[in-house]
Amino acid sequence: DAFICGEPEALRRLPSGQMWSALLAAASAGQLVTVQELLDTRGWELGSRRVETLGDMLIAAAGNGHLKMAQWLLAHGAEVNQVAPSNGSFSLFVAAQNGHAEVVQHLLAHGAEVNQVNPSNGNFALLMAALGGHARWCSSCWRTARTGP
């Protein structure tokens, strides 16, 4: 879709009921300029759901390894430990599961809870990293987070 590419005219024509979907898709694709444009020009449409939406976007960005997007979202109020109600995932869980070491380190540095459990399946981030074949780098991330660089 054109709005994912940040085309200004498409962003202006986007129906207000599609704001959340557009923001989530842009965050998932790492389209920081599009996210910034939508929030700057139409962020008021989110109303009281703004913080929750930023958290949902963080989960999507972290799962796809978009470090710059995760940094920006955290700097603008995303809750690092927010849980997605649909499947219980959270930013550290999906970043670890998909092997995004830099994102994992950044989330840990910003207060991601190492022992947070996915309420839908009882799994936690380090287990998901191990199952995905990422345990080696992930364990060093956890050590660094606990002891400092």
Side-chain angles (χ1 to χ4, degrees):
D1 290 311
F3 68 83
I4 300 293
C5 298
E7 294 178 18
E9 186 58 33
L11 295 174
R12 282 190 285 278
R13 289 192 322 258
L14 183 69
S16 62
Q18 294 181 4
M19 267 293 286
W20 184 85
S21 296
L23 284 166
L24 197 62
S28 183
Q31 296 293 326
L32 184 56
V33 172
T34 301
V35 166
Q36 291 169 329
E37 177 75 19
L38 282 169
L39 289 174
D40 286 347
T41 60
R42 299 183 57 185
W44 58 269
E45 294 177 29
L46 297 172
S48 63
R49 291 202 59 217
R50 184 179 176 92
V51 171
E52 181 183 344
T53 299
L54 291 175
D56 291 339
M57 293 164 58
L58 179 61
I59 294 167
N64 288 304
H66 299 300
L67 179 61
K68 287 184 181 185
M69 180 70 71
Q71 292 168 329
W72 190 89
L73 290 166
L74 287 166
H76 287 84
E79 170 53 50
V80 72
N81 293 312
Q82 179 173 314
V83 175
S86 61
N87 61 11
S89 66
F90 46 93
S91 57
L92 185 62
F93 184 89
V94 295
Q97 180 179 31
N98 294 323
H100 302 303
E102 288 183 329
V103 176
V104 167
Q105 289 177 320
H106 189 73
L107 295 170
L108 289 169
H110 283 82
E113 177 55 49
V114 174
N115 296 316
Q116 185 174 0
V117 175
N118 182 318
S120 296
N121 59 27
N123 293 328
F124 55 98
L126 188 56
L127 173 63
M128 297 313 296
L131 291 173
H134 312 293
R136 184 173 168 194
W137 66 257
C138 215
S139 63
S140 70
C141 290
W142 264 259
R143 269 195 306 281
T144 300
R146 290 177 49 199
T147 61

